[in-house]
């Protein structure tokens, strides 16, 4: 952007550090284990022509997801990924420069970025050393929205149900409590969807990007009381889902496809348990987080060098050391069985015979940082 055009941009835009997605921050490689995608992807077919505008809220998708989630159609909004759900909630319920949101890092970065882009202040309440909510600190804030991610990204921890209920009770007359359940298929017993009838201030975010293996589709869902859904409909774009997206989403939500998804979840959870057991045996890994999602967080001696060393061998993982409360950590998504075997081979070389790989990646990292 030229200097003259740059002066036209909002100050809030100039101040934002954009979210660094896995795909934008790293490219190349043959094995992608840095974006929490499901490598066990099904195939779907499209039909018809696309010369007509799609439905804003396609009935087949809404009805199918409502049946899958155990709610009514009036409690469901479909959007361009759960990220649009985050954006809509902030735009619909927070007055710029007046209302605030509360977040509990380390957690998903888009809550804060969406708030900042809408000039909504962010109350930062770090998780405890055990990665649970600091309720006393959280209750000292007076937000319009509280965002809680469970299973949490990037740690994989579950926020205790009793803590979620305590937050719902505390803010029952003053704020919406937003539970991000993007990874809930990997720990379905931890869902709080059953609390929706009891707590009208509860909002749940879901997605087809993770367990359903449809990250490229960008299809997410917001589950909430009908009044909340109607408020979000006031703000949503006229055609949030392209017709091909709606067609594939409807296919993904058939009973047969849901059963297939659940089978892949079983496979991924098994591979995750195997990877955790493997990682705990590596001398260069000082901590392995227990995970309830399709990724595992590891603490290593030097996260940047570790990421660079694996990237040299064609395997991409993610450095999460910039997250508040974390230091020298990498997040490894669980891939296919073949991808995990390739990962083991490279990690064996890196952690058990580190000199060549670590020295080469250290030099590469140092050169990049000097550039």
């Amino acid at each position: 952007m030229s200097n003259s055009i740059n002066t036209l941009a909002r100050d809030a835009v100039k101040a934002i550090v954009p979210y660094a997605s896995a795909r934008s921050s790293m490219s190349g490689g043959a094995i992608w284990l840095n974006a929490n995608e499901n490598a066990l992807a099904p195939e779907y077919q499209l039909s018809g022509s696309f010369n007509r505008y799609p439905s804003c809220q396609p009935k087949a998708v809404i009805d199918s997801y409502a049946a899958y989630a155990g709610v009514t159609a009036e409690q469901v909004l479909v959007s361009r990924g759960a990220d649009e759900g985050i954006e809509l909630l902030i735009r619909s319920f927070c007055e710029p420069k007046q209302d605030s949101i509360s977040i509990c890092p380390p957690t998903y970065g888009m809550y804060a970025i969406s708030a900042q882009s809408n000039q909504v202040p962010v109350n930062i309440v770090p998780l405890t050393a055990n990665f649970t909510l600091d309720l006393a600190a959280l209750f000292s804030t007076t937000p319009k929205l509280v965002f809680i991610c469970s299973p949490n990204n990037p740690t994989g921890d579950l926020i205790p149900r009793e803590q979620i209920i305590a937050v719902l009770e505390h803010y029952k007359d003053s704020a919406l409590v937003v539970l991000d359940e993007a990874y809930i298929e990997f720990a379905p017993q931890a869902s709080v969807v059953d609390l929706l009838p009891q707590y009208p201030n509860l909002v749940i975010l879901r997605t087809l990007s993770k367990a359903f293996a449809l990250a490229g589709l960008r299809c997410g869902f917001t589950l909430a009381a009908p009044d909340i859904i109607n408020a979000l409909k006031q703000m949503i774009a006229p055609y949030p889902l392209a017709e091909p997206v709606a067609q594939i989403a409807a296919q993904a939500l058939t009973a047969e496809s849901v059963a297939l998804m659940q089978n892949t979840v079983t496979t991924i959870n098994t591979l995750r348990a195997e990877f955790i057991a493997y990682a705990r045996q590596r001398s260069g890994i000082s901590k392995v987080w227990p995970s309830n999602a399709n990724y595992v967080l590891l603490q290593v001696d030097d996260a940047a060098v570790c990421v660079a060393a694996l990237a040299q061998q064609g395997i991409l993982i993610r450095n999460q050391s910039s997250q508040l409360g974390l230091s020298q950590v990498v997040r490894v998504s669980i891939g296919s069985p073949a991808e995990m075997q390739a990962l083991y081979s490279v990690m064996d070389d890196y952690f058990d015979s580190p000199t060549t790989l670590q020295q080469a990646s250290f030099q590469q990292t140092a050169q990049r940082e000097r550039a």
Side-chain angles (χ1 to χ4, degrees):
M1 188 180 293
S2 67
N3 288 335
S4 59
I5 297 299
N6 190 51
T7 61
L8 300 178
R10 293 166 50 206
D11 290 341
V13 172
K14 298 175 189 176
I16 287 175
V17 177
Y19 182 76
S21 68
R23 201 65 71 241
S24 65
S25 59
M26 293 188 75
S27 61
I31 298 176
W32 295 353
L33 303 179
N34 62 333
N36 300 345
E37 298 152 328
N38 183 347
L40 309 176
E43 294 184 0
Y44 299 103
Q45 300 295 322
L46 296 175
S47 63
S49 58
F50 305 111
N51 60 312
R52 302 296 185 185
Y53 286 111
S55 169
C56 177
Q57 293 293 295
K59 179 175 171 56
V61 177
I62 294 292
D63 288 349
S64 296
Y65 200 84
Y68 166 72
V71 298
T72 67
E74 292 74 23
Q75 293 175 290
V76 179
L77 182 89
V78 63
S79 60
R80 288 169 290 201
D83 287 336
E84 186 178 26
I86 295 168
E87 185 82 10
L88 287 169
L89 285 163
I90 292 171
R91 288 171 52 210
S92 299
F93 290 97
C94 295
E95 291 287 351
K97 300 182 179 181
Q98 179 177 321
D99 296 320
S100 66
I101 71 166
S102 293
I103 64 172
C104 304
T107 194
Y108 184 44
M110 280 306 298
Y111 312 137
I113 290 175
S114 290
Q116 291 162 5
S117 69
N118 288 283
Q119 296 185 288
V120 172
V122 180
N123 308 308
I124 297 175
V125 184
L127 296 174
T128 68
N130 294 323
F131 295 95
T132 59
L133 299 176
D134 185 339
L135 292 179
L138 182 59
F139 293 167
S140 70
T141 67
T142 55
K144 268 289 190 72
L145 300 171
V146 179
F147 285 93
I148 300 171
C149 191
S150 182
N152 188 37
N153 180 13
T155 62
D157 294 281
L158 292 172
I159 301 301
R161 182 182 175 92
E162 59 271 21
Q163 286 200 322
I164 294 171
I165 292 174
V167 176
L168 286 164
E169 287 284 351
H170 181 84
Y171 290 109
K172 62 183 177 182
D173 297 319
S174 61
L176 299 183
V177 179
V178 185
L179 260 292
D180 188 340
E181 292 189 345
Y183 299 93
I184 201 62
E185 280 79 15
F186 299 99
Q189 76 287 350
S191 177
V192 294
V193 71
D194 62 299
L195 296 178
L196 280 170
Q198 185 178 352
Y199 292 101
N201 63 326
L202 173 61
V203 180
I204 296 174
L205 297 173
R206 296 280 189 86
T207 185
L208 299 185
S209 294
K210 308 304 179 183
F212 281 89
L214 289 170
L217 203 65
R218 306 309 300 127
C219 183
F221 299 88
T222 302
L223 312 180
D227 286 349
I228 295 174
I229 297 299
N230 289 335
L232 300 181
K233 287 180 179 178
Q234 295 286 96
M235 298 295 286
I236 201 168
Y239 309 110
L241 254 62
E243 177 61 24
V245 173
Q247 284 190 25
I248 294 173
Q251 293 175 52
L253 292 166
T254 64
E256 181 181 8
S257 294
V258 168
L260 178 61
M261 175 274 291
Q262 291 168 337
N263 286 338
T264 67
V265 165
T266 298
T267 298
I268 289 168
N269 284 348
T270 298
L271 292 169
R272 183 190 66 206
E274 292 172 354
F275 177 67
I276 288 174
Y278 166 86
R280 285 175 174 162
Q281 297 174 3
R282 304 273 71 79
S283 59
I285 299 175
S286 55
K287 180 174 181 179
V288 181
W289 270 256
S291 176
N292 297 275
N294 66 333
Y295 51 85
V296 179
L297 194 68
L298 310 175
Q299 189 161 46
V300 297
D301 293 337
D302 190 315
V305 169
C306 180
V307 169
L310 269 62
Q312 281 189 324
Q313 304 303 308
I315 298 178
L316 305 186
I317 62 174
R318 190 148 196 204
N319 188 346
Q320 295 277 250
S321 302
S322 62
Q323 289 262 13
L324 183 64
L326 298 176
S327 177
Q328 301 303 334
V329 293
V330 297
R331 191 191 66 196
V332 181
S333 304
I334 302 302
S336 68
E339 289 173 337
M340 297 308 291
Q341 287 303 314
L343 174 67
Y344 293 152
S345 178
V346 172
M347 289 183 70
D348 283 344
D349 289 339
Y350 178 77
F351 287 109
D352 295 340
S353 303
T355 305
T356 302
L357 273 180
Q358 288 195 13
Q359 183 62 31
S361 59
F362 176 80
Q363 292 173 351
Q364 183 186 63
T365 301
Q367 289 172 357
R368 185 169 59 247
E369 289 175 350
R370 287 196 298 268

